């Protein structure tokens, strides 16, 4: 794994903005698929943000429930909401790529439909993004419930030596976590990250920010690793708070067994694609030593208990040329590292 930025770095000092400074224009991207149970609460929390200068793109992946009707009704009350209906399910990656490829705002906040933002989430996230031009991503404190001492869903992500990422402080009570301080972390969970536009454009591979092969699952790991390779930083800002009762946990066997065959296969396939694309040449053997035991254990599990997910191995082999082409582009760009904004 690439060396992650230290979380002990001192906070960069941000210059005070004039009180009458215009608000930055932001795109909020929500991807839905049969999200009728939660989408209305999510969008209402977005519409009450103290930062008002935004457009809200809802990209629907051919929902069969009332998602679009609920969004359309809200759009009648607030013209910032733009509903885009796709005729087939493009997944998390395809849906957000749709928004990212058609907007030009200086920052983009991805919003999972099962989240509810505190009113000042976007305001605090933008302030943090402007602390340092090398910060490409800001993530907040996501909580699993509204109870006084709620369990933490995530506080950013932590890079592991075997090419995986873990949610920081996941499942821990706030009282157990102690005081949370703003700091650099290894990556941002995909539920509510704020991306700088230059970061989005810098990380594109063959024109796309999210790898469309991933569809859904581990795409935030892939982005976090790629961002590290290119020298960008991720900032955790605990003043950004939101509700996110996470349900997608493929490492939990009971949860995994309730998932569709496609999602389970994606969880395996995307890990292998990510390892192939992102591991620097100098770290290949180190990564093999670290990752191989777990990957062999997963393969054994598939052979014994989940043969349908062996399609992941077949997919990687059949698409090896395209995956290796992506690797060459990523590693070539990584060697150049991060570069500051050009000044006139």
């Amino acid at each position: 794994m690439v060396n992650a930025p230290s979380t002990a770095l001192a906070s960069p000092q941000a210059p005070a903005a004039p009180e009458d400074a215009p608000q930055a224009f932001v795109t909020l991207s929500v991807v839905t698929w049969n999200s009728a149970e939660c989408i209305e609460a999510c969008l209402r929390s977005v519409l009450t943000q103290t930062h008002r200068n935004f457009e809200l793109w809802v990209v629907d992946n051919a929902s069969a429930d009332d998602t679009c009707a609920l969004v359309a009704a809200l759009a009648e009350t607030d013209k910032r909401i733009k509903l885009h209906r796709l005729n087939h399910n493009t997944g998390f990656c395809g849906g957000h790529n749709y928004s990212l490829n058609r907007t030009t705002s200086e920052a983009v906040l991805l919003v999972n439909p099962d989240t509810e933002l505190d009113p000042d989430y976007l305001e605090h996230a933008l302030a943090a993004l402007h602390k340092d031009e090398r910060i490409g991503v800001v993530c907040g404190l996501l909580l699993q419930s509204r109870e006084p001492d709620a369990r933490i869903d995530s506080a950013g992500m932590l890079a592991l030596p075997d090419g995986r990422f873990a949610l920081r402080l996941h499942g821990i009570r706030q009282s157990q976590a102690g005081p949370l301080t703003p700091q650099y972390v290894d990556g941002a969970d995909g539920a509510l990250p704020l991306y700088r536009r230059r970061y989005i454009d810098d990380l594109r591979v063959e024109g796309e920010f999210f790898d469309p092969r991933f569809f859904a699952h581990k795409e935030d790991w892939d982005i976090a690793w790629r961002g590290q390779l290119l020298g960008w930083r991720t900032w955790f800002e605990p003043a950004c708070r939101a509700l996110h009762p996470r349900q997608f946990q493929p490492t939990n066997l009971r949860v995994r067994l309730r998932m569709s065959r496609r999602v389970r296969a994606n969880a395996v396939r995307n890990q292998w694609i990510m390892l192939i694309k992102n591991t620097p040449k100098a770290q290949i053997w180190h990564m093999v030593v670290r990752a191989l035991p777990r990957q062999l254990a997963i393969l054994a599990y598939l052979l014994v208990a989940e043969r349908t997910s062996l399609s992941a191995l077949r997919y990687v082999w059949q698409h090896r040329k395209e995956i290796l082409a992506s690797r060459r582009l990523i590693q070539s760009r990584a060697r150049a590292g991060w570069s500051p904004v050009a000044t006139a």
Side-chain angles (χ1 to χ4, degrees), residues 69 78 92 123 132 155 158 204 287 290 309 335 342:
D78 196 311
F92 178 97
E123 179 183 348
D132 180 357
L158 174 69
R204 290 180 184 274
M287 184 60 70
R290 294 285 190 171
S309 291
R335 285 192 290 273

Side-chain angles (χ1 to χ4, degrees), residues 174-223:
Q174 292 181 81
S175 59
Q176 297 173 314
L180 297 174
T181 59
Q183 59 182 278
Y184 291 109
V185 293
D186 295 335
D189 172 39
L192 266 177
L194 178 71
Y195 293 129
R196 188 187 297 272
R197 176 66 65 172
R198 197 164 73 86
Y199 175 87
I200 293 169
D201 292 339
D202 198 24
L203 265 65
R204 290 180 184 274
V205 177
E206 296 180 306
E208 300 288 8
F209 179 68
F210 287 113
D211 188 332
R213 288 172 296 221
F214 277 45
F215 188 79
H217 192 50
K218 291 188 173 74
E219 71 291 322
D220 49 358
W221 295 13
D222 186 46
I223 291 298

Side-chain angles (χ1 to χ4, degrees), residues 12 14 24-27 100 103-110 122 125-139 184 188 192-204 209 223 231-235 338-341:
F25 183 60
V26 185
T27 298
L100 297 177
T103 57
T104 58
S105 57
E106 70 173 79
V108 179
L109 179 69
L110 304 193
L122 183 54
L126 284 166
L129 190 68
H130 294 144
K131 288 178 181 291
D132 180 357
E133 65 174 346
R134 198 160 179 167
I135 295 174
V137 194
V138 174
C139 57
Y184 291 109
L192 266 177
L194 178 71
Y195 293 129
R196 188 187 297 272
R197 176 66 65 172
R198 197 164 73 86
Y199 175 87
I200 293 169
D201 292 339
D202 198 24
L203 265 65
R204 290 180 184 274
F209 179 68
I223 291 298
W232 288 95
R233 291 174 174 172
T234 299
W235 184 260
W338 183 86
S339 58
V341 176

